Amino acid sequence: VQCDGAANKNIGDAFLLTWKVNNNSNNDGGTAEQCAASANNYAADKALYSFVKTMIEMSRHEDFLCNFSPRALAELYERMPGYKCRIGCGLHFGWAIEGAIGSSKKIDASYISPHVNMSESLEGATKDYGVSILMSEPFYNLLSSEAAAGCRQVDSIKKQEGDGVVITNLYTYDVDLSIDFSLRDEEKKRAKKKKKKVEGARKKVLGSNHRKTQFSLFEDDKADYYGNHEDGDGLGKLPSLKISNDFPNVWNTDEDIIQVTAHFTDELRHSYETALNAFVALDYEHARIYFNDVLDATDGKDGPSKYLLSKIDQMKA
């Protein structure tokens, strides 16, 4: 909501969230020029940013999300060792029919469109590709250059469109959610205490009549803060979130974004691009070499490389 989106409905264990764009010239996705990020108030940037920040905060506050009894936690980790609370996101851009759907007994305001189904398919495919976020090409074309710089094309697929079949690209935004945010947060707390100690010493030297200066923990004056630190419903202290609306600069200034994207360099993106081009050209031997290079550089964790290598193995069998 803070990023101009709206939660519409839940479908099983999935939720449909929508962002409206100011594009009336084309109903099929348009081009990057027709759907410029700034012309649409950075709607795509805000959608992607909201999901990335949600994942970061879920990773940071894992203890809050899994605040169960010791017995329940023990049973959970016994069934699923190393369990982490994670979500997958499918992002797509297209038209939809908006209106009341249902019967006289139950009416829902929702959206009907093959593009809604496409976003659901993308969300499901995140499990196959081993990524947290999967984006369609029309959505990717809406992103600002700052946001697109952190994206990677992971595959090209055939999609039914009307009476024909078109080839479209799939993209991801590479984030490393295995980072231990608690360590960095502790470092921030120590730095804050040290700063207070220095300020207290300065205050003693300057005297009690010295004019006080108000400091802010965060220097981003365009940031909004949500949540508080009051106890709620016995769950402990509620997380406090910081959301910036400084688009598109936020991609280069948000400390969390910078940290979770640092692991996947431009050099790795080039290696993956080379592998993908070889894969599409059916040159599986060279594709295998470059996919393995990416896996070696990521300690075997890159989901798209593992997925396409499994496809090569299936076709070779």
Side-chain angles (χ1 to χ4, degrees):
V1 175
Q2 292 81 16
C3 290
D4 299 338
N8 182 256
K9 64 179 180 181
N10 72 297
I11 311 167
D13 63 348
F15 289 87
L16 174 63
L17 287 80
T18 60
W19 281 260
K20 292 186 178 181
V21 298
N22 303 318
N23 178 47
N24 299 316
S25 60
N26 199 329
N27 284 336
D28 61 2
T31 64
E33 291 77 18
Q34 292 168 329
C35 305
S38 58
N40 288 292
N41 195 29
Y42 297 103
D45 282 45
K46 291 177 179 179
L48 177 59
Y49 178 73
S50 67
F51 282 121
V52 174
K53 288 294 285 187
T54 297
M55 293 174 184
I56 290 172
E57 296 303 331
M58 287 177 63
S59 181
R60 171 178 279 127
H61 300 291
E62 186 79 27
D63 292 341
F64 179 81
L65 294 174
C66 297
N67 190 10
F68 309 134
S69 68
R71 179 178 177 180
L73 276 177
E75 292 177 354
L76 173 65
Y77 290 131
E78 184 179 355
R79 287 178 55 201
M80 293 177 281
Y83 171 81
K84 296 288 184 182
C85 188
R86 294 288 183 262
I87 59 173
C89 306
L91 294 166
H92 179 60
F93 168 63
W95 61 265
I97 298 174
E98 179 185 45
I101 302 168
S103 66
S104 58
K105 296 183 178 180
K106 187 177 186 297
I107 298 178
D108 293 318
S110 190
Y111 299 86
I112 295 179
S113 169
H115 297 286
V116 174
N117 299 335
M118 178 63 178
S119 63
E120 185 178 1
S121 298
L122 288 170
E123 184 273 326
T126 59
K127 302 178 182 68
D128 296 326
Y129 286 93
V131 295
S132 299
I133 298 171
L134 206 56
M135 298 172 278
S136 67
E137 188 170 359
F139 181 89
Y140 173 81
N141 288 337
L142 274 176
L143 293 171
S144 67
S145 58
E146 290 83 352
C151 297
R152 169 175 47 137
Q153 181 186 341
V154 295
D155 205 353
S156 294
I157 63 170
K158 291 181 179 180
K159 181 170 75 78
Q160 187 72 35
E161 194 167 286
D163 296 329
V165 176
V166 298
I167 295 177
T168 186
N169 298 326
L170 301 181
Y171 298 83
T172 190
Y173 190 83
D174 290 295
V175 291
D176 181 8
L177 298 175
S178 64
I179 294 173
D180 190 347
F181 288 98
S182 61
L183 292 177
R184 205 191 79 174
D185 293 341
E186 281 299 320
E187 290 175 0
K188 280 188 173 182
K189 287 179 182 178
R190 286 196 293 268
K192 185 182 176 184
K193 287 181 180 179
K194 186 176 180 181
K195 183 177 179 181
K196 283 185 176 181
K197 190 174 181 180
V198 171
E199 289 298 324
R202 279 189 61 200
K203 192 172 181 182
K204 288 180 181 179
V205 172
L206 293 171
S208 59
N209 293 328
H210 179 65
R211 180 175 61 87
K212 293 182 179 179
T213 304
Q214 184 175 2
F215 291 95
S216 173
L217 179 59
F218 299 106
E219 295 179 356
D220 185 359
D221 59 352
K222 296 184 179 180
D224 294 325
Y225 302 88
Y226 301 93
N228 54 61
H229 292 283
E230 298 297 327
D231 291 338
D233 299 333
L235 294 176
K237 291 185 177 180
L238 301 179
S240 180
L241 310 182
K242 176 196 171 205
I243 302 294
S244 174
N245 288 309
D246 184 21
F247 291 97
N249 300 320
V250 65
W251 300 106
N252 299 319
T253 57
D254 188 295
E255 293 181 8
D256 289 336
I257 297 288
I258 294 172
Q259 187 176 17
V260 298
T261 56
H263 71 293
F264 213 91
T265 62
D266 290 338
E267 183 180 355
L268 275 178
R269 287 191 184 89
H270 177 70
S271 295
Y272 186 88
E273 181 183 3
T274 305
L276 182 60
N277 290 338
F279 178 82
V280 173
L282 307 183
D283 183 2
Y284 297 135
E285 293 306 317
H286 284 93
R288 186 189 296 276
I289 292 172
Y290 283 105
F291 281 137
N292 280 319
D293 286 345
V294 176
L295 282 176
D296 291 341
T298 58
D299 296 327
K301 296 178 181 178
D302 187 57
S305 294
K306 290 194 286 187
Y307 177 68
L308 293 184
L309 279 173
S310 69
K311 289 296 182 182
I312 292 176
D313 292 336
Q314 290 176 16
M315 286 180 278
K316 287 284 188 178

